[in-house]
Amino acid sequence: MSLTDSAAVDVARSASIASRQLATLSNTSRNDALTALHQALDQNRDTILAANARDVEAATKAADSGDLNHSVLKRLDLSRPGKYDDMLQGILDVRDLEDPIGKVTLRTLLDEGLTLERVSCPIGVLLIIFEARPEVIANIAALAIKSGNAAILKGGKESIESFTAIAKVVSEAIAGSRVPVSSVQLVKTRDAVSALLAQDAYIDLVIPRGSNELVRFVKENTKIPVLGHADGLCSAYIHADANIDTAVKVIVDSKTDYPAACNALETLLVHEDVLESVFPEVAKALIKKGVSLRCDSASQAALAKSLTTDQLSQVRSASEADYSTEFLDLILAVKSVTKTDSAESAVEAAIAHINTHHSKHTDIIITESRSLANLFMNSIDSAGVFWNASSRFADGMRFGFGTEVGISTNKIHSRGPVGLEGLTIYKYLIQGNGHAAGDYHDGAEGRKYLHKRLPINE
Amino acid sequence: MSLTDSAAVDVARSASIASRQLATLSNTSRNDALTALHQALDQNRDTILAANARDVEAATKAADSGDLNHSVLKRLDLSRPGKYDDMLQGILDVRDLEDPIGKVTLRTLLDEGLTLERVSCPIGVLLIIFEARPEVIANIAALAIKSGNAAILKGGKESIESFTAIAKVVSEAIAGSRVPVSSVQLVKTRDAVSALLAQDAYIDLVIPRGSNELVRFVKENTKIPVLGHADGLCSAYIHADANIDTAVKVIVDSKTDYPAACNALETLLVHEDVLESVFPEVAKALIKKGVSLRCDSASQAALAKSLTTDQLSQVRSASEADYSTEFLDLILAVKSVTKTDSAESAVEAAIAHINTHHSKHTDIIITESRSLANLFMNSIDSAGVFWNASSRFADGMRFGFGTEVGISTNKIHSRGPVGLEGLTIYKYLIQGNGHAAGDYHDGAEGRKYLHKRLPINE
């Protein structure tokens, strides 16, 4: 299928129609479809892995000739030990989560016989755009079906063979369930993205899964709300009262546990009073782990006093751009903070720096003071603000959400790690028996609203 | 001030900085500012009403010469009995609502000494664009301050004198409080809207308050999320088992209680089996209230059998466009529904018609069957789905929310009548004492997450 604009309309409209039917299915019906999906992917393992091997072969050639980054190979390869089984288990894990649909979150007696309820429901149609990882198809199909949303999936060209093979199995598995076939549609055409991003009449939410460039492209080319984050510029502030062990442990983990992750630390701010006490210990531990430091003059001068020549080879002067850079590597920008003309204290200078430079993802403070931590947590405008704990905890699995659609740096709807709940919205239901609003207008005979809060579970 | 792009940046950036400080204020500090605002507007009543009288005078001239719709005059006039006092009382009502900020909605023990909390917080910076109603300034300023959000208000040219007078009083009142002055900024320049809508780096949410055209213009000209609704095309379906009294009462109220409102009924669908029983009674009651009916052939034929010639003068044939028209007047489109090739039953045909034509605002069903009502409520993709109750109940005051920012037809964040809660989001806070994520990786020595749900109130 060549995905012209009219074809994109057809895909989006059929997804929209399917989404309404999907919204009426019970949790059992949705779970049955996931069981069938799991079984089909298990039974067709050999076919899918053979298709995946063709993708890996083509990608290896492209990587060897310099046309593709080698890191893509690892993400593409479904035959790595445990990867296929993890994908299969993920479907069952999602199936066994609590039903996110039909939860009553508000119940009010407006008047005798007139009851208002707010009930969670699916959002409608999701468009998921991803790059190399083929297991995302199974993962997202499971999340969409569990949350009662229709999903349109658009994969990258590197995974085209895997994608085609998995798509066939997914469609056949769903066809045998009560979930409408158009609930999960897989679009392969290379130029489909722009046409799909224009379907704001039918698509309710776009979830890009891939590089920062992909997310930025999507955000700039659609009117549909986008759930995700383009950058992960996480910062830490070490206060004057910081415990040395806490500072070393948290900062080293934040920077080095997985430097390529969006929740890795990129900027370290240090109170001027501990530049020669806490900071050198942190710096030594980072340097030992292979981290290069890019320092402002005060922090660099402090290190010059206590580090060996060998250690200092990993320290250099920072440029202003370093404080706005997501290195995704063993590099850390360092800046000392102090009371200034515009900041009444070092912590206020740190807060101002972070709120100006960060990407609203996750920022942390190292301090022994609860009141200072509270000020920091209230003032920093990020999805996550952590006190004496690593930025690497910003993750749906670590938060105990069971699964994660992605991490959002949006300011509305969902923020931080987004689980199934982030794929739901609510509707207001009223049950009456012939109630008219005109009977409640002001005047001698107007009825009065009771507005009595009722228990949620009854 | 001429609001060039750079001036718009200054307004938005200063609002952003103020919002961070505002986010740290206690409920008491925010309430004190509202008390001061109330007092200042009370004391300056004469000055503000004099300014408003100049707006009304200019608007009257414009209306008389045909340059302005007369309906604007009524909305503009602050001197109408009770209007100014209502505006003042509204500030105190908002002040006395429960604090929407700092509510813990999730608390999880991740591990010993490592606690995760999800806490409600302000969104950040709101841009409110409104037309004639000058009391919106006080209303929105109160809502913004109570919810800890900074607000940029842009008024229409008809209310420029009132706006200037109120703006001065608001700024002076806030200057005497702990709320930063830049938390509420009032922008008067006529061409400011486009420049402000471009400030997506600083502004987090746009709330247009005014005509459908205004909302549509805003939605089409900004990357910032927009909270609101452009249309209110509400529909009702009368099922074969409908109680006649319920149908008459609910349909007449939905259509005639306030026809210009967004929650007024615009389309009526009738099961074919009751075209000659329930429907003529509903039609007679509507016609008695002055409603004109635009019917499909089957419903028109049914009325021809039982209505008088006089009554039939208010009945004519519907065009296809009538089913997509928000009349905002005493006109109702009527269509009979029946089982079709694509719909297994009349109710499914009604659901399909509504989901294709409605604006996702509010739709209603008249039936005596709970299972049918549930099917309808699950299938209709609207912010509100009401059973045997008027569409006119779709309103924040009637829902018991105390106040309302507007009614949203969005599919994410907030849906339906939006109260203070809709002006909040949340952040995730973690408190640890030197916890590193690396300690929890798989392997013999890896620690295990506890993920123990803790009580919310402790």
Side-chain angles (χ1 to χ4, degrees), chain A residues 21, chain B residues 271-272 338-350 352 375:
Chain A
Q21 200 182 332
Chain B
H271 191 289
E272 58 173 347
T338 175
K339 180 181 162 180
T340 65
D341 288 346
S342 59
E344 284 177 24
S345 63
V347 66
E348 290 201 4
L375 173 68

Side-chain angles (χ1 to χ4, degrees), chain B residues 243-276:
Chain B
N243 175 289
I244 288 193
D245 293 342
T246 300
V248 169
K249 180 136 195 188
V250 169
I251 301 299
V252 168
D253 186 79
S254 297
K255 178 70 249 182
T256 69
D257 185 51
Y258 186 27
C262 62
N263 57 13
L265 189 68
E266 305 292 8
T267 297
L268 176 63
L269 304 173
V270 184
H271 191 289
E272 58 173 347
D273 291 354
V274 289
L275 281 177
E276 298 185 13

Side-chain angles (χ1 to χ4, degrees), chain B residues 64-76:
Chain B
D64 289 346
S65 63
D67 292 336
L68 192 72
N69 193 310
H70 269 94
S71 65
V72 174
L73 285 179
K74 193 174 156 191
R75 293 203 292 273
L76 192 59

Side-chain angles (χ1 to χ4, degrees), chain A residues 20 123 249 253 257 377 380 383 385 387-388 398 411 413 415 426-428 430 432 434 437-439 441 451, chain B residues 123 249 253 257 377 380 383 385 387-388 398 411 413 415 426-428 430 432 434 437-439 441 451:
Chain A
R20 289 166 203 152
I123 289 176
K249 179 137 196 189
D253 186 78
D257 185 51
M377 293 197 282
I380 294 292
V385 197
W387 172 23
N388 292 347
R398 289 164 198 175
K411 296 293 289 288
H413 188 67
R415 211 176 182 199
Y426 50 78
K427 51 172 76 168
Y428 288 100
I430 287 183
D439 292 343
H441 291 324
H451 288 151
Chain B
I123 289 176
K249 180 136 195 188
D253 186 79
D257 185 51
M377 295 198 280
I380 294 293
V385 197
W387 172 24
N388 291 346
R398 290 166 197 175
K411 297 292 291 285
H413 189 67
R415 213 176 181 197
Y426 51 79
K427 51 171 76 167
Y428 288 99
I430 287 184
D439 292 343
H441 291 323
H451 288 152

Side-chain angles (χ1 to χ4, degrees), chain B residues 182-223:
Chain B
S182 299
S183 299
V184 181
Q185 295 182 68
L186 301 105
V187 176
K188 287 173 289 188
T189 328
R190 203 185 283 196
D191 56 356
V193 172
S194 295
L196 287 169
L197 289 177
Q199 303 309 316
D200 55 313
Y202 297 111
I203 299 172
D204 300 301
L205 190 65
V206 187
I207 306 176
R209 295 278 297 251
S211 66
N212 301 359
E213 289 68 34
L214 173 71
V215 180
R216 215 167 280 123
F217 174 82
V218 169
K219 289 199 174 213
E220 282 168 9
N221 287 281
T222 189
K223 286 187 201 169

Side-chain angles (χ1 to χ4, degrees), chain A residues 31-62:
Chain A
N31 286 352
D32 288 348
L34 295 185
T35 305
L37 181 60
H38 173 267
Q39 195 178 12
L41 288 170
D42 194 18
Q43 286 168 349
N44 290 278
R45 183 190 296 247
D46 294 344
T47 317
I48 291 169
L49 285 179
N52 182 245
R54 294 194 292 277
D55 281 333
V56 172
E57 192 188 339
T60 306
K61 278 183 196 160

